[in-house]
Amino acid sequence: MSFATLTVPPAEADTRLDRWLRRRYPALTQGALQKMLRTGQIRVDGKRAEANTRLAAGQEVRLPPMPDTPAPKAEPRPIPEAAARELQARVLYRDASVIVLDKPPGLAVQGGPGITKHLDGMLDALAFDGERPRLVHRLDRDTSGVLLLARTVQAAAFLAKAFRGRDVEKTYWAVVVGEPLHHAGTIEMPLMKEGGGGRERVVAAPPGARGPDVVRSTTEYRLLDVAKRRAALLEMKPHTGRTHQLRVHCATALSTPILGDGKYGGAAAHLEGLSGSLHLHARALRVPHPDGGVLEAMAAPPPHMEETMRFLGFDNPAPKPPRRLA
């Protein structure tokens, strides 16, 4: 069997291996991809890899014969001037290496089935006469708040490593329905995905479950405020970054689903008279800066969440301006 080798370009660093391949080979099915990975036909820098392996700039990906020729690179769609200005207005901080963005709810970070508007397709608007910035972490489509971008290849590599390790502190706010039994604690729960065909969801893994599809997840939380046991405001600090981790932890471990999270809380995730949008917000981020020191950034909750907090009487202090500490 003849193999081909592709090199990961700097602009595509920190992309999942499966997504990186499917962009190039549209006819590649998930089943075929998993078989190639399982049998070691696909390798990254000579080593076996998983579908969720994050690629780094300059890595070499060895491939067997693929079911399609590489997809032609699509010409970037022009960004409407109004949309570009709106995105630029959401920049909380920028320097030569990073940009801190206040992502609005409803804006997907990357494209996918049925998603035509996403941040990844609008990053040229944030070049500011420099390089096109790069994603180094992600937020769910309906989650708002602090999102960090790298402005150079070197910064992207540095930050991607920081997010994979334990050097980043992420703080979220969540308005939940009900009051947790314990007002502070640490949630440790193995998670796995179930379903498919657009109905995929994350669930708590059965006791004793093992295998590559079962991942550990840990979240530290504390109660910030409560409104007559009807709703509560939680501060949550995830120590792992699993898909929908905070949503599952609130709904399953605490039995207090995030307000507006019908996917995991069903009808119990809604309160009459309050917004039905997801009330999950990336409040703050503390991360090592590529040029030294530590970057701290905060973002105010989005309008629908601020309105809910005001109605319930929850304290909502103004965020401190982003700053880089020595």
Side-chain angles (χ1 to χ4, degrees):
M1 181 185 297
S2 61
F3 292 87
T5 300
L6 300 180
T7 302
V8 180
E12 297 176 8
D14 200 38
T15 303
R16 281 174 55 121
L17 175 60
D18 55 353
R19 293 173 183 165
W20 190 77
L21 288 171
R22 284 202 295 268
R23 288 175 188 171
R24 284 163 173 72
Y25 305 98
L28 179 63
T29 65
Q30 184 67 20
L33 172 59
Q34 290 292 351
K35 182 178 180 180
M36 293 176 187
L37 291 168
R38 188 172 58 251
T39 57
Q41 297 178 65
I42 296 177
R43 292 177 179 257
V44 178
D45 283 347
K47 299 178 181 178
R48 288 175 177 262
E50 302 288 339
N52 61 357
T53 296
R54 294 283 180 183
L55 298 173
Q59 284 188 314
E60 294 187 342
V61 182
R62 191 195 74 170
L63 303 173
M66 303 300 277
D68 195 6
T69 55
K73 189 173 182 180
E75 289 294 325
R77 293 183 178 183
I79 305 169
E81 186 176 343
R85 286 199 304 267
E86 181 181 352
L87 192 61
Q88 292 163 0
R90 302 194 74 89
V91 171
L92 300 173
Y93 172 91
R94 69 181 168 105
D95 58 28
S97 296
V98 303
I99 292 174
V100 179
L101 191 70
D102 179 10
K103 188 190 87 67
L107 177 63
V109 173
Q110 290 185 301
I115 299 176
T116 57
K117 180 182 178 181
H118 50 84
L119 178 61
D120 194 28
M122 304 169 67
L123 290 178
D124 285 330
L126 300 177
F128 298 112
D129 298 322
E131 297 181 34
R132 186 180 194 270
R134 296 159 177 82
L135 299 169
V136 293
H137 72 123
R138 288 146 185 81
L139 296 176
D140 286 348
R141 182 176 187 171
D142 294 322
T143 301
S144 58
V146 179
L147 185 72
L148 188 64
L149 304 172
R151 300 194 70 189
T152 67
V153 173
Q154 295 79 8
F158 177 91
L159 293 170
K161 182 178 180 181
F163 274 94
R164 287 194 298 268
R166 295 179 175 270
D167 298 327
V168 177
E169 182 178 297
K170 295 175 282 187
T171 302
Y172 289 76
W173 279 1
V175 177
V176 299
V177 179
E179 179 183 352
L181 178 62
H182 302 288
H183 288 183
T186 299
I187 302 166
E188 294 186 356
M189 176 182 287
L191 301 176
M192 60 185 295
K193 293 181 180 180
E194 68 172 16
R199 297 186 177 183
E200 187 177 71
R201 52 187 274 126
V202 179
V203 298
R210 297 287 187 273
D213 296 332
V214 179
V215 295
R216 68 179 186 89
S217 65
T218 306
T219 300
E220 180 184 347
Y221 76 94
R222 69 184 180 102
L223 182 75
L224 296 181
D225 211 339
V226 64
K228 298 180 180 179
R229 296 192 173 180
R230 184 187 182 197
L233 177 63
L234 299 184
E235 177 187 86
M236 309 190 78
K237 295 186 176 185
H239 295 175
T240 53
R242 310 305 183 191
T243 301
H244 295 175
Q245 173 177 320
L246 300 183
R247 297 166 67 177
V248 177
H249 283 185
C250 286
T252 304
L254 301 181
S255 298
T256 55
I258 297 176
L259 183 62
D261 189 9
K263 182 179 183 73
Y264 290 101
H270 299 280
L271 290 173
E272 186 176 354
L274 297 179
S275 169
S277 297
L278 185 70
H279 286 62
L280 179 61
H281 176 67
R283 170 66 171 179
L285 187 67
R286 192 175 194 274
V287 59
H289 194 284
D291 301 326
V294 175
L295 177 66
E296 293 183 345
M298 301 176 70
H304 76 272
M305 196 164 165
E306 286 195 324
E307 183 178 349
T308 293
M309 293 173 67
R310 188 163 50 246
F311 178 83
L312 295 172
F314 293 160
D315 189 28
N316 182 21
K320 297 177 182 178
R323 56 181 181 168
R324 179 180 166 192
L325 306 175

